[in-house]
Amino acid sequence: MRVKLSFIILFLLSMLILSSCITPKKVNYLQKTSSHTKPIKNNVGYEEYKLQPNDKIFLRIYSPDEKINTLFNGNSNMSSQMMSGSDYSDLYTYTIKENGTIKLPLVGDIVIGGYPLREAKQKLEMVINSTMVDKCAVDLRIVGRYFSIIGSTTNGLYPITREKMNIFQALAMAGDISIYGDRARIKLLRETDDGVSIKTFDIRRKDIINSEFYYIQPNDVIYIQDVKSQFFSVTSFGSALSTLFSTFSFGMLIYNLATPDVNTSNSNQNPL
């Protein structure tokens, strides 16, 4: 009876541990469509980020007229100090107002909110050149762009260092998702014209490169949940066997302590 019960306990423990194993299917990226990966709906290509209120932009204007350059960009000493990381750069950083405008000297208010960076640059050049005698060129960049990662063991605020940063590059900056992060249910919080949207996607799928989740946008928040099957911390066959035998040994110890020995009971009932 005890042997049969031991086999039952061993079988149940084996099923529980095997169900808790973290296999390569659960953690590998760029997998083909299968039962292990959830489909990504409404695949789209890259969509340029549109400037929004409170975004900070760094603007420099280049003109043959040095007076115009000094007016917009400061003198040459300031320019060199800006290139070396001085705080003078804040003097030439504009914050987009709630109505989507910035105010420039000699030009006035210009609406650039709601435009992609490339179109905003073209509009600035057109408006500025319409008020200047000489043709001017515009250098426009977004500054202070960040994304956030929270959940699991990965947390932090990280800068967006390039125009098109994909989600794998973003995760690499954060040290990747831990072995216990749920890659099948990544949540992305993104600011849109209609408010904050929350979308869930499976980062393991290969077709994520054609989806709206592939490229990071400023102020994105990536939320990583823990997988449900991490109780035993089983990540390989060796650790599974070790956990199985350790758990079985502990279970048998408890069983032996809780179950009275039959021979001992009989000897107590029939003393010599």
Side-chain angles (χ1 to χ4, degrees):
M1 181 66 182
R2 180 176 295 185
V3 175
K4 184 177 180 181
L5 184 59
S6 300
F7 277 113
I8 293 175
I9 294 174
L10 179 61
F11 175 76
L12 292 177
L13 288 174
S14 300
M15 292 300 99
L16 182 60
I17 291 175
L18 288 176
S19 66
S20 301
C21 285
I22 300 178
T23 63
K25 286 291 185 181
K26 293 184 179 181
V27 297
N28 286 351
Y29 298 123
L30 302 177
Q31 298 182 43
K32 295 182 180 180
T33 303
S34 68
S35 59
H36 297 279
T37 55
K38 295 183 178 181
I40 295 177
K41 299 179 181 179
N42 302 324
N43 284 3
V44 295
Y46 171 70
E47 186 174 339
E48 289 186 87
Y49 175 74
K50 296 180 180 179
L51 296 174
Q52 300 179 11
N54 299 317
D55 280 350
K56 290 186 177 181
I57 60 171
F58 180 75
L59 176 64
R60 287 181 62 80
I61 297 173
Y62 301 95
S63 168
D65 189 341
E66 288 299 326
K67 294 182 179 180
I68 297 297
N69 290 332
T70 302
L71 176 65
F72 285 100
N73 308 327
N75 57 40
S76 58
N77 291 332
M78 285 186 178
S79 298
S80 61
Q81 289 174 337
M82 282 191 290
M83 294 299 293
S84 63
S86 172
D87 290 338
Y88 279 115
S89 59
D90 291 339
L91 297 175
Y92 301 94
T93 299
Y94 298 84
T95 300
I96 301 177
K97 301 177 183 178
E98 290 296 329
N99 60 1
T101 65
I102 59 172
K103 188 172 184 178
L104 297 181
L106 302 180
V107 179
D109 292 334
I110 304 177
V111 178
I112 60 172
Y115 289 90
L117 191 65
R118 175 177 49 82
E119 295 182 13
K121 177 182 176 181
Q122 293 174 351
K123 183 175 182 179
L124 285 170
E125 287 182 343
M126 181 183 66
V127 174
I128 292 172
N129 286 327
S130 66
T131 60
M132 302 294 174
V133 176
D134 300 312
K135 291 293 183 180
C136 299
V138 172
D139 180 18
L140 182 66
R141 289 172 285 167
I142 306 176
V143 296
R145 302 192 306 166
Y146 296 91
F147 68 93
S148 304
I149 298 182
I150 59 174
S152 188
T153 58
T154 306
N155 296 276
L157 182 69
Y158 303 93
I160 298 178
T161 56
R162 52 189 301 173
E163 185 64 29
K164 295 172 66 174
M165 174 179 286
N166 63 56
I167 191 166
F168 295 114
Q169 293 169 332
L171 291 175
M173 292 181 65
D176 200 7
I177 303 175
S178 71
I179 192 69
Y180 300 123
D182 191 351
R183 290 161 172 79
R185 284 180 289 273
I186 303 293
K187 294 185 183 295
L188 179 69
L189 287 71
R190 176 168 291 173
E191 296 180 2
T192 66
D193 295 336
D194 300 323
V196 178
S197 67
I198 304 176
K199 297 186 178 181
T200 305
F201 63 97
D202 189 340
I203 199 174
R204 301 170 301 170
R205 288 181 55 88
K206 185 178 180 179
D207 55 1
I208 192 176
I209 61 177
N210 298 318
S211 75
E212 60 184 308
F213 313 112
Y214 187 59
Y215 288 103
I216 297 297
Q217 293 190 3
N219 304 316
D220 276 356
V221 177
I222 303 170
Y223 173 53
I224 304 170
Q225 306 175 92
D226 285 336
V227 292
K228 297 178 180 179
S229 57
Q230 63 163 323
F231 180 77
F232 286 99
S233 301
V234 178
T235 58
S236 65
F237 181 72
S239 62
L241 287 178
S242 176
T243 304
L244 176 62
F245 287 120
S246 299
T247 308
F248 177 71
S249 300
F250 179 73
M252 290 304 301
L253 175 62
I254 298 298
Y255 175 76
N256 289 331
L257 292 175
T259 305
D261 186 77
V262 177
N263 295 329
T264 304
S265 299
N266 291 337
S267 64
N268 289 335
Q269 293 175 3
N270 300 306
L272 296 178

